[in-house]
Amino acid sequence: MTDNERTGCGCAAGGAKEGDKGGAQDGAPHGAPQMPQVTFSTFILSLASSALVQLGEVPDPDTGRTSENLLMAKHTIDVLTMLQEKTRGCADADEARLLEGVLYELRMKYVVHRK
């Protein structure tokens, strides 16, 4: 039985861990901005940052302006919710807490903006 069959969630249980060196920096030209290592947590934080921009809570990094797009914000929150459901039992305790906290904060901000 494989790890994925044992956990039943399709995650890479027993595979690469967050501390492992990934290929995020491989092939980057000298002097290019360094991107953070791709982990489940950085992915969640990236989606949460996008939701904050969509909620108009922080400026868009490309334009420097804030604007609301509640439809996209709800979609991003729904994607995070789907990830929470699909990784239940697979994510480690820190990842699960991060996702739960991010979702709580984003949902509360969404409710405020809907009023």
Side-chain angles (χ1 to χ4, degrees), residues 24-70:
Q25 307 301 325
D26 296 347
H30 182 68
Q34 294 292 312
M35 297 300 294
Q37 181 180 351
V38 178
T39 65
F40 185 71
S41 295
T42 58
F43 180 57
I44 296 305
L45 292 171
S46 177
L47 289 172
S49 295
S50 294
L52 289 172
V53 170
Q54 294 156 355
L55 287 167
E57 291 280 321
V58 297
D60 183 315
D62 293 329
T63 65
R65 294 184 304 216
T66 59
S67 64
E68 260 186 24
N69 186 339
L70 294 181

Side-chain angles (χ1 to χ4, degrees), residues 37-106:
Q37 181 180 351
V38 178
T39 65
F40 185 71
S41 295
T42 58
F43 180 57
I44 296 305
L45 292 171
S46 177
L47 289 172
S49 295
S50 294
L52 289 172
V53 170
Q54 294 156 355
L55 287 167
E57 291 280 321
V58 297
D60 183 315
D62 293 329
T63 65
R65 294 184 304 216
T66 59
S67 64
E68 260 186 24
N69 186 339
L70 294 181
L71 183 63
M72 281 305 299
K74 182 180 183 321
H75 177 74
T76 303
I77 293 167
D78 290 345
V79 168
L80 286 162
T81 302
M82 180 269 306
L83 286 170
Q84 182 182 45
E85 292 166 1
K86 293 290 186 177
T87 60
R88 189 166 279 126
C90 291
D92 66 33
D94 289 337
E95 293 166 338
R97 264 193 307 277
L98 173 67
L99 193 47
E100 185 176 335
V102 161
L103 277 168
Y104 175 81
E105 292 297 325
L106 291 174

